[in-house]
Amino acid sequence: MASASATGYNALLVSIVLLATVCECTAETPYAAGLSEDFYQKTCPQAASIVDAYVTKFLRKDRNFAGAFNRLQFHDCWVGGCDGSVLLNSTETNQAEREAHVNFGLRGVAEVDQIKAALEHSCPGVVSCADILIMAARDATAKVGGPSWPVAMGRRDGVNSSSLMADSNLPFPVLNFSGLVANFAGKGFNAREMITLSGAHTIGRTHCNGILPHLYNFTGKDDATDTDPAMNKNFAVFLKNHCPQGNRTNTIFIDSTANTFDRAYYKNVLQGKGIFITDAALITNPAGKKVVTTFSKPGSAFFTEFAAGMVKMGNLGVLTDTEGQIRRTCQFVN
C-alpha cells in the first residue's frame, strides 16, 4: 500500500510539473514571437531614452508632430508589416511606399532619420528603424495627453517598399463604413478596433487632398455644391475657406483640439464635423454610432482600447532574428 501511495504521489507531482510547463508555454502574450520589452537591455539600454529625448525635442518645435508619428506607424505596419519600409526612398527601378497616393503629405521621415543617427552613434547597427517608429508613436501620443503602453522591441527592417502595395493596403479617405470594416478585417482587426484606431485623428493635420472629395465631389458631380449633406453646414463653409476647390496642398488640423490627444474627435464626428469621408462614415452604421457615442463621453475605455490597438498593430508582419536587416540609415537599404 505504501509503495502504491508513493507511486501515486510521484505521478501527481509529474502531472503538476507537466501542467505548469504547458501553462508556461501557452501563456498568452500581447507580442509577436521574437519581440520583448527588454530586447535592447544588453545591446543598447539607452535606446528608449534616446528616442524619447528626440521626440520631446520635435514636439517642442511642433506639437502636431504627434500625429505624424502615429501616422507613420500605421502606414508602415499596414503595408507588409512593421518593417520600416515606409521610410525607404524610391530608386531608379522602384517607386517606394512614400510615393503612393495614399501617403500624400507623409511627415516625420527626416525626424526619424535624426533619431536613427543618434542611435547609430551610441549603438551602431543595433536598433532598427521599424522599432524606432513604434517607440516614437507611443512616446509622442503620451506627450500630448494620450495613453502610454508597453512596447516590445526586436523588429528588423525590410528591404522592399512598393507604392502599389501601399495603395492596395491602406484605407483611402473616401471609404464607407463597410469598406473600412473590410480593410481592417484584412489585418485582423474588428469594427470596434477600427473605430478605436480612427481616434488617432484626434491629433495631427492633413493636406486638403484628402478632404476635397468630402466637400466638392461627394456623389461624383465634382462641383462646389456636391458636399456631404450630413456635414455640419457651418463646418463645411469653414473647410471650403481653407480648402478651395482644386487646392490639394493647403493644410488643416484634423481635429478641433489637434495638438491634444482627447475625445474631441468623436464629439466632432457626432456633430457632423468629421474631416474625412471615413470619419463621417463611422456614424452611418448604428453599431458604429453607438461606439462613437460611447468614446465621446468621459470615463470611456477609449484610451485603454487605443493603447491595446497600437500594441496589436505593432505585431503585424514583423521580421525578427535573421530576417531583414538593421538599416544604417532609414531611407536606404544597407
Side-chain angles (χ1 to χ4, degrees):
M1 290 291 292
S3 177
S5 298
T7 300
Y9 179 71
N10 289 336
L12 179 61
L13 282 178
V14 171
S15 297
I16 292 173
V17 171
L18 286 174
L19 179 61
T21 302
V22 170
C23 290
E24 183 179 356
C25 292
T26 59
E28 289 190 8
T29 171
Y31 308 128
L35 304 183
S36 66
E37 291 180 43
D38 60 355
F39 186 82
Y40 295 120
Q41 185 172 348
K42 294 182 179 179
T43 56
C44 192
Q46 66 271 45
S49 60
I50 290 174
V51 174
D52 183 82
Y54 270 83
V55 170
T56 298
K57 170 187 170 183
F58 298 138
L59 292 181
R60 282 175 180 163
K61 181 180 179 181
D62 180 358
R63 189 174 169 88
N64 206 244
F65 257 116
F69 287 128
N70 262 264
R71 188 185 183 201
L72 276 175
Q73 175 176 332
F74 177 55
H75 284 231
D76 183 42
C77 294
W78 226 245
V79 184
C82 308
D83 63 352
S85 57
V86 72
L87 302 169
L88 285 170
N89 287 344
S90 295
T91 66
E92 291 183 2
T93 58
N94 179 67
Q95 187 167 296
E97 291 173 35
R98 278 164 45 208
E99 305 304 321
H101 297 293
V102 75
N103 278 327
F104 185 83
L106 201 69
R107 296 189 302 149
V109 175
E111 285 70 22
V112 171
D113 260 351
Q114 288 186 48
I115 300 173
K116 176 62 174 173
L119 287 165
E120 283 296 300
H121 179 75
S122 294
C123 317
V126 173
V127 182
S128 68
C129 301
D131 277 347
I132 294 172
L133 290 182
I134 300 296
M135 287 187 274
R138 186 274 308 272
D139 293 347
T141 300
K143 290 178 188 299
V144 294
S148 185
W149 53 88
V151 292
M153 301 290 107
R155 297 165 193 79
R156 288 171 66 85
D157 298 321
V159 296
N160 299 308
S161 183
S162 162
S163 62
L164 179 61
M165 282 287 290
D167 280 334
S168 300
N169 281 270
L170 286 161
F172 275 80
V174 296
L175 290 181
N176 59 20
F177 188 85
S178 61
L180 285 168
V181 170
N183 180 275
F184 275 71
K187 305 297 179 183
F189 291 76
N190 60 36
R192 185 182 180 94
E193 290 171 322
M194 176 272 289
I195 295 169
T196 302
L197 289 174
S198 295
H201 287 175
T202 187
I203 49 177
R205 63 177 185 248
T206 182
H207 287 82
C208 292
N209 179 60
I211 304 175
L212 298 181
H214 206 189
L215 296 175
Y216 304 106
N217 195 30
F218 186 68
T219 63
K221 296 177 183 177
D222 197 21
D223 65 43
T225 63
D226 194 16
T227 304
D228 181 357
M231 183 181 285
N232 178 286
K233 289 181 172 54
N234 290 332
F235 187 61
V237 171
F238 168 78
L239 290 181
K240 288 180 178 181
N241 286 335
H242 285 81
C243 296
Q245 191 171 4
N247 186 309
R248 301 172 66 233
T249 56
N250 282 0
T251 59
I252 189 170
F253 288 145
I254 297 176
D255 175 90
S256 58
T257 56
N259 288 333
T260 302
F261 194 102
D262 55 21
R263 298 182 309 277
Y265 166 75
Y266 295 106
K267 296 177 182 178
N268 293 338
V269 169
L270 288 170
Q271 295 168 3
K273 298 178 181 179
I275 288 280
F276 301 114
I277 290 175
T278 48
D279 297 326
L282 299 183
I283 58 173
T284 60
N285 174 279
K289 186 173 183 178
K290 184 177 180 180
V291 176
V292 171
T293 302
T294 298
F295 283 166
S296 72
K297 297 177 180 178
S300 74
F302 167 50
F303 276 35
T304 301
E305 293 186 37
F306 183 85
M310 293 296 282
V311 171
K312 181 175 177 177
M313 189 198 306
N315 292 329
L316 292 176
V318 297
L319 302 174
T320 59
D321 196 20
T322 59
E323 299 173 308
Q325 61 181 217
I326 303 299
R327 296 204 295 267
R328 289 188 290 273
T329 58
C330 292
Q331 297 186 51
F332 301 93
V333 298
N334 293 344

